[in-house]
C-alpha cells in the first residue's frame, strides 16, 4: 500500500514537472471599425473594416524547456477579416506566421518557416504605423518600406536573433526561393540592430527582395504579401524615440529603391494597379522613395491617450519627383486591459506624380485608391485582445 502511494506521488510530481517545463497558449487580437472614406474609385464610402490599426489574428504559441537554458519554441498564427470571416492570406492555414526554432538564453534564437522580417521586428516598433496608436491605415505610401505592423510575411526563411547585450539586439535572416536552378530568384535577406536603454530606443536595418511576387518563393502574389512587383527592392531604415513622462516622441527615416517596377499592390483592392489596371496607368522603370516620419504619443491618463504622426515621402520616378503628405491623428480609450476603443483620422495628398499613373492617386493602406490626388479616412473602432 505504501509502495503504491509512493509511486502515485512520484508519478504526479513528474507530470506536474513536465507540465511546468512546456506550455501552449491560444491567443489573438480582434480589430474592427466603421470607416468613412471621402473617395474610393471616385465615390465616398462607408464600410465595416477589419485590421485598420492592427492585424486581426488568432494563433497558438508554445515552448518546451530542454534544459541548460535551451528551449524549443513555435508559433502558428492566422490572420482573418472579421467582417466576413475570410482569410487575410488567401489559401493559407497559418498565413500570418508559421515557424519553429530553438532559443538559447546565452546564444540567441534560431527559427525556421514563414516569418516577419528582421527590419519589421526592430525598426517597425519605432513608427506610428506599426503600433495600435497609429496602425496599418497610416502606413507610408504603398507600404513601400515594410514598416507597418506585420503586413509582409516571408516564406522559406531562416532567422537569427541575438540575446540583448548592454541594450543591443541584432537580427539577420535569409529566405530561400526554393526553386531548383533559380536560387537567386524571389529570395530575400536582411539585417537589423536596435539599442534600448532607459527612455531611449534606436534601431536601423536593411532589407532586400529579388523578383518578389513570382512563383512560390520568399514573397508571393498568391497570398497578397508582395507590395511591389519588381526586379529588386532594397530598403534602408533608421529611427529612434525618446520617452519623457507620459510622452513618447519619435523620428524615422527610410529609403526604398525599387528597380524595374511592374506594378503596385493595394491590399484594399485585391488587384495589381499599374500592371493589370489600365485606368490607373502602368508603371515601368525604377522608383525611389524617401520617407521622413515624426510621431508622438501622449498618455492623458493610464486609460486615455492621444497620438499623431506626419510623414513626408519624396519620390523619384522617370524624371518626375512625386511627393506624398500623410498625416494621422488618433485618440484611444481603454475600458479594460484587453478592450479599447479608438477614433482615428488619416489624410494623404500626392503631388508631382506622372498624370494618370498609379502614383498620382492617393491610396491609404488597407483601402481602395482615390480617383484624385487626395484621400481622407475616419475610423471609429474597437480592439479586443485574448
Amino acid at each position: 500500500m505504501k509502495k503504491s502511494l509512493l509511486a502515485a506521488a512520484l508519478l504526479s510530481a513528474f507530470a506536474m514537472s513536465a507540465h511546468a517545463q512546456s506550455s501552449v497558449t491560444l491567443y489573438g487580437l480582434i480589430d474592427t471599425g466603421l470607416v468613412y472614406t471621402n473617395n474610393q474609385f471616385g465615390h465616398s464610402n462607408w464600410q465595416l473594416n477589419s485590421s485598420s490599426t492592427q492585424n486581426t489574428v488568432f494563433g497558438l504559441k508554445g515552448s518546451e524547456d530542454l534544459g541548460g537554458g535551451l528551449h524549443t519554441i513555435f508559433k502558428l498564427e492566422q490572420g482573418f477579416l472579421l467582417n466576413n470571416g475570410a482569410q487575410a492570406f488567401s489559401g493559407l492555414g497559418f498565413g500570418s506566421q508559421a515557424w519553429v526554432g530553438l532559443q538559447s538564453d546565452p546564444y540567441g534564437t534560431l527559427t525556421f518557416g514563414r516569418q516577419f522580417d528582421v527590419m519589421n521586428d526592430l525598426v517597425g516598433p519605432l513608427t506610428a504605423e506599426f503600433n495600435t496608436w497609429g496602425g496599418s491605415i497610416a502606413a507610408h505610401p504603398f507600404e513601400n518600406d515594410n514598416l507597418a505592423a506585420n503586413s509582409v510575411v516571408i516564406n522559406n526563411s531562416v532567422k537569427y536573433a541575438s540575446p540583448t547585450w548592454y541594450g543591443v539586439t541584432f537580427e539577420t535572416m535569409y529566405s530561400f526561393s526554393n526553386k531548383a536552378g533559380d536560387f537567386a530568384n524571389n529570395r530575400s535577406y536582411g539585417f537589423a540592430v536596435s539599442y534600448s536603454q532607459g527612455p531611449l530606443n534606436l534601431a536601423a536595418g536593411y532589407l532586400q527582395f529579388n523578383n518578389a511576387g513570382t512563383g512560390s518563393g520568399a514573397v508571393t502574389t498568391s497570398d497578397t504579401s508582395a507590395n511591389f512587383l519588381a526586379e529588386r527592392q532594397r530598403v534602408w531604415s533608421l529611427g529612434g524615440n525618446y520617452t519623457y513622462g507620459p510622452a513618447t516622441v519619435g523620428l524615422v527615416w527610410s529609403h526604398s529603391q525599387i528597380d524595374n517596377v511592374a506594378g503596385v499592390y493595394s491590399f484594399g483592392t485585391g488587384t495589381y494597379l499599374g500592371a493589370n489596371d489600365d485606368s490607373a496607368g502602368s508603371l515601368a522603370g525604377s522608383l525611389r522613395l524617401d520617407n521622413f516620419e515624426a510621431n508622438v504619443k501622449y498618455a492623458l491618463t493610464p486609460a486615455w491617450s492621444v497620438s499623431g504622426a506626419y510623414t513626408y515621402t519624396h519620390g523619384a520616378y522617370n524624371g518626375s519627383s512625386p511627393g506624398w503628405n500623410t498625416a494621422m491623428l488618433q485618440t484611444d480609450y481603454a475600458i479594460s486591459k484587453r478592450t479599447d476603443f479608438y477614433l482615428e483620422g488619416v489624410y494623404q495628398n500626392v503631388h508631382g506624380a506622372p498624370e494618370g499613373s498609379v502614383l498620382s492617386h492617393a491610396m491609404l493602406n488597407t483601402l481602395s485608391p482615390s480617383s484624385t490626388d487626395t484621400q481622407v479616412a475616419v475610423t471609429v473602432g474597437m480592439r479586443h485582445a485574448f
Side-chain angles (χ1 to χ4, degrees), residues 77-96:
E77 182 180 285
Q78 174 63 302
F80 64 98
L81 307 180
L82 190 71
N83 48 309
N84 60 11
Q87 296 172 324
F89 299 92
S90 179
L92 301 183
F94 294 101
S96 290

Side-chain angles (χ1 to χ4, degrees), residues 37 53 100 104 124 175 206 216 221 248 252-253 257 295 316 365 370:
T37 312
T53 65
V100 67
S104 167
S175 303
Y206 173 79
S216 57
T221 59
T248 300
V252 178
W253 164 81
Q257 292 188 198
N295 59 65
N365 196 38
S370 172

Side-chain angles (χ1 to χ4, degrees), residues 63-85:
S63 66
E64 180 186 15
D65 189 346
L66 302 176
L70 187 65
H71 309 264
T72 300
I73 56 174
F74 78 91
K75 182 173 283 189
L76 303 172
E77 182 180 285
Q78 174 63 302
F80 64 98
L81 307 180
L82 190 71
N83 48 309
N84 60 11

